[in-house]
Amino acid sequence: MEKKVTEVVAALIRDRDRFLICQRPAHKARGLLWEFAGGKVELGETKEQALIRECREELAVTILVDKVFMEVDHDYPDLNVHLTLFNAVIIEGTPRMLEHHDIRWIAVNEMPQYEFCPADEIILRKLRYER
C-alpha cells in the first residue's frame, strides 16, 4: 500500500552566522532528533500560513516567511514527506520551548554535534556548502 505524501514546512531562522534548531519531544516519532522549526500543513492553509502558525504554537514567535531555501522529498518507514524549508525571520518574540525537548542556536560548523532527522540531511549539506 502506497503511503500518502504529507506536506511539511520548516523555517530556516538565522541570527547572523547561527541558525535555530529544535529537538523533537522524546514521545514523538523520531524522538530527540534535531530539526528545523515547523510542522504539517493543515487543510486549507498555504505553506506560509502553516509555518507562521507552527512557529507561534511551538516557539511563541511571529515570523516573516521569505523565499524557499530548498524542498526535499523523504520516505520514512511511517510516512512520506515533502518538506519545504523557507528562509524566515523572527519579527516578534523570543523562541521558547513550548513543544520541543530543547532548542539551540548553532553555527554551521557545529552541525556534526547534533543528530538530525534524516529528511534534513540534504539541507545540512547545502548549508555547509553555501558558506
Side-chain angles (χ1 to χ4, degrees), residues 84-120:
T84 305
L85 180 70
F86 289 89
N87 286 300
V89 177
I90 295 172
I91 56 173
E92 187 179 319
T94 300
R96 295 195 342 241
M97 287 186 303
L98 301 181
E99 291 196 19
H100 293 98
H101 183 75
D102 198 1
I103 57 176
R104 302 259 172 98
W105 290 98
I106 68 166
V108 170
N109 64 351
E110 295 174 295
M111 290 186 311
Q113 300 170 34
Y114 298 89
E115 188 177 354
F116 281 82
C117 291
D120 293 329

Side-chain angles (χ1 to χ4, degrees), residues 6 23 32 49 59 80 82-83 109 118 120 125:
T6 302
Q23 189 176 33
L32 301 180
Q49 289 168 333
L59 298 170
N80 295 346
H82 177 85
L83 168 64
N109 64 351
D120 293 329
R125 280 196 296 277

